[in-house]
Amino acid sequence: MGVNPPAHPTGPARPARPARPARPARSARSARSAAVLAVDAGNSKTDAALIAADGTVLGTGRSGGFQPQRTGVEAAVDVLAQAVAAAAEAAALPLPGPGTPCADQVSACLANADLPVEEQQLADAIGARGWGAATRVFNDTFAILRAGLSAGGPPLGVAVVCGAGINCVGMLPDGRTARFPALGQISGDWGGGVGLAAEALWWAARAEDGRGGPTELAAALPGHFGLASMAELIEALHLGALAQRRTHELVPVLFAVAAAGDPVASAIVERQADEVVALASVALARLDLLDEEAPVLLGGGVLTAGHQQLDELIAAGLARRAPRARVSVVAAPPVLGAGLLGLDALGALPEAHGKLRAHFG
């Protein structure tokens, strides 16, 4: 918020000082407050945006990935703080903190906030930083859902995100939601970039050593890294010569091999489509939306990459299980959804939502 400068004390006149250069960005800021600090944090990057009440984006910032389960909550929130500080600097605001909030509402959509208890824990940790007068934390899938809902329409629909992992949420206008723990194998999940890469490696390894049937993945996966065999790739990953994090590079290779007609690779893609369809249709059923027209919004790197085979399988599967679903891909950055959720909480006018959409559109 803008702060009025203190009045000069009375006393003897002081010598005139040289005029300071004008600071237009800070002057402009004093005329309009930041209503929302929107944060979208994924496994690989964090985006923050300071948004005025009329939907104007005042400043944005970016930092690294948000992984509280690996680094601890406070260290993970430190990563968010880097993006928030960058957004404040871009908006010509002081660094936010206790006593100097930068917005009325903090709206944070965070990866790895998979359970309500985790959302509350993270909301408490972020609230303690003093970035805003109020703090709301959502799983990052809600950002995709909110970003994909039509302007002025009710908050009704289902979103499936398939990035590093996979998750699904649904929402009704009365506030009811459908969601899944999305904790990996222990909660029944399969797929996303990590799962797809692991599955492709498993089948390729067995193809090369004879325990499985033939597949072009056995040559294509090591070939991507300039290696001659799966044995070389396995050794490089095991001994650390090749970082495990680089296995995500194999996901496009898997889809390319599948598109060329390889039956093993195609079966993996089909399984991923089945998982997306299962999540979406179950969420629709929980919200009593199977027999109504409702949007099913797809987000995350795997689902926004335009893999034709995957897209067609998902469309066909939903046509069978949820024939009235309207499927679309959300290409807008998820920080838009976080910002819209923040404006929702403040009761912003539709024009503000439209201006924010236009900025990120």
Side-chain angles (χ1 to χ4, degrees):
M1 302 292 289
V3 178
N4 294 325
H8 289 295
T10 59
R14 298 178 179 177
R17 295 179 178 177
R20 293 182 178 179
R23 300 171 71 180
R26 195 174 292 274
S27 298
R29 165 71 187 105
S30 65
R32 52 168 62 173
S33 300
V36 175
L37 167 60
V39 179
D40 171 72
N43 285 285
S44 60
K45 65 177 177 61
T46 296
D47 285 316
L50 282 161
I51 304 162
D54 68 352
T56 300
V57 175
L58 305 173
T60 62
R62 175 168 286 187
S63 60
F66 181 75
Q67 299 182 6
Q69 78 283 7
R70 295 181 60 185
T71 66
V73 169
E74 290 303 319
V77 176
D78 286 342
V79 175
L80 305 186
Q82 297 170 20
V84 173
E89 182 179 3
L93 284 169
L95 289 177
T100 57
C102 61
D104 301 321
Q105 178 81 216
V106 178
S107 177
C109 295
L110 309 176
N112 305 302
D114 297 307
L115 302 174
V117 65
E118 292 173 317
E119 290 177 337
Q120 186 59 57
Q121 182 184 32
L122 291 165
D124 292 343
I126 293 170
R129 300 294 178 109
W131 297 340
T135 300
R136 301 170 78 210
V137 168
F138 308 86
N139 178 270
D140 60 337
T141 311
F142 282 100
I144 298 296
L145 177 58
R146 187 63 186 87
L149 294 176
S150 60
L156 180 150
V158 165
V160 181
V161 172
C162 192
I166 189 166
N167 200 356
C168 174
V169 299
M171 182 185 297
L172 289 175
D174 63 10
R176 285 183 293 156
T177 62
R179 58 189 301 176
F180 300 83
L183 299 174
Q185 189 171 12
I186 63 170
S187 58
D189 308 303
W190 183 88
V194 173
L196 288 168
E199 192 78 0
L201 285 164
W202 191 87
W203 283 101
R206 293 173 69 87
E208 183 171 277
D209 68 20
R211 288 178 293 171
T215 171
E216 291 299 318
L217 292 170
L221 300 189
H224 173 76
F225 297 111
L227 301 174
S229 67
M230 279 301 300
E232 290 186 14
L233 177 54
I234 293 164
E235 180 178 307
L237 290 169
H238 178 67
L239 297 179
L242 188 65
Q244 287 283 342
R245 59 180 172 78
R246 292 196 62 191
T247 59
H248 79 274
E249 298 176 24
L250 298 176
V251 177
V253 179
L254 164 66
F255 280 102
V257 173
D262 183 83
V264 171
S266 293
I268 298 172
V269 174
E270 184 173 352
R271 183 180 178 189
Q272 181 64 93
D274 289 344
E275 288 294 312
V276 172
V277 171
L279 283 166
S281 58
V282 169
L284 288 167
R286 288 182 183 176
L287 298 174
D288 296 321
L289 293 176
L290 274 179
D291 296 323
E292 298 184 28
E293 287 193 6
V296 172
L297 308 165
L298 308 179
V302 173
L303 297 180
T304 61
H307 299 301
Q308 182 178 357
Q309 186 178 13
L310 179 65
D311 294 345
E312 291 177 351
L313 287 167
I314 291 171
L318 283 171
R320 291 191 299 271
R321 295 187 61 173
R324 302 196 67 183
R326 304 190 308 273
V327 184
S328 60
V329 174
V330 179
V335 72
L336 166 63
L340 291 171
L341 286 167
L343 291 177
D344 291 343
L346 296 175
L349 296 174
E351 292 79 6
H353 291 77
K355 181 176 286 189
L356 185 60
R357 285 185 181 279
H359 177 90
F360 286 109

